[in-house]
């Protein structure tokens, strides 16, 4: 099983889907040019960018009008994500998980999930500032 980060859609039109974050990252927004499309009036055409490199997962608000929220806090620029973080964009929320733990996801019949890795390493951020929150 790979240690690939995934986004588990907890709320929104795609609820229940598991989206693998590919090496190099992915765009999120209302435009069909994004890797993850959120068809909601509160989503900007190009809302956020996930970057996955060297075992670390980062998120950046790319100038959205309504913001990106991580664990309820509005993101000012970019920050590192870890397993268990919840990202909200418009009406959609995603939980960060590892691919290897998704199959252990609790089911409606009371199953349990196992813990996954929770740490991320540091690495170079290509968008300027080195602040992680």
């Amino acid at each position: 099983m790979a240690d690939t980060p995934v986004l588990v859609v907890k709320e929104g039109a795609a609820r229940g889907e598991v989206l693998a974050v590919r090496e190099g990252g992915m765009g999120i927004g209302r435009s069909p040019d994004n890797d993850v499309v959120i068809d909601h009036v509160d989503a900007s055409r190009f809302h956020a960018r996930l970057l996955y490199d060297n075992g670390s997962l980062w998120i950046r608000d790319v100038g959205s009008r309504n913001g990106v929220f991580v664990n309820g806090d509005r993101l000012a620029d970019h920050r590192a994500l870890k397993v268990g973080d919840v990202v909200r964009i418009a009406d959609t929320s995603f939980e960060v998980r590892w691919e290897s733990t998704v199959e252990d996801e609790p089911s409606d019949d009371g199953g349990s999930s196992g813990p996954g890795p929770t740490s991320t390493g540091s690495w170079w951020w290509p968008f300027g500032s080195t602040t992680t929150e």
Side-chain angles (χ1 to χ4, degrees):
M1 293 185 196
D3 280 337
T4 302
V6 295
L7 301 177
V8 178
V9 183
K10 295 297 189 176
E11 295 180 45
R15 184 176 183 205
E17 286 189 35
V18 177
L19 309 168
V21 181
R22 68 177 184 266
E23 189 77 23
M26 57 203 287
I28 303 172
R30 196 176 68 243
S31 170
D33 294 330
N34 288 290
D35 301 293
V36 178
V37 177
I38 298 176
D39 189 19
H40 191 272
V41 67
D42 290 339
S44 295
R45 286 178 2 123
F46 299 95
H47 203 103
R49 180 94 185 139
L50 284 171
L51 196 54
Y52 176 54
D53 187 51
N54 198 26
S56 295
L57 181 62
W58 295 77
I59 189 164
R60 178 178 177 89
D61 186 327
V62 293
S64 70
R65 179 181 65 237
N66 293 314
V68 174
F69 296 83
V70 178
N71 300 328
D73 297 325
R74 188 169 183 159
L75 185 64
D77 185 21
H78 65 273
R79 76 182 279 179
L81 295 174
K82 63 184 184 318
V83 170
D85 282 346
V86 175
V87 175
R88 175 173 285 284
I89 296 173
D91 70 336
T92 303
S93 67
F94 309 92
E95 182 180 355
V96 177
R97 300 283 301 271
W98 286 105
E99 185 176 48
S100 60
T101 66
V102 171
E103 62 195 36
D104 297 330
E105 179 77 18
S107 63
D108 291 336
D109 61 5
S112 62
S113 75
T118 59
S119 64
T120 59
S122 62
W123 62 284
W124 171 75
W125 179 256
F127 297 112
S129 168
T130 57
T131 307
T132 60
E133 292 195 50

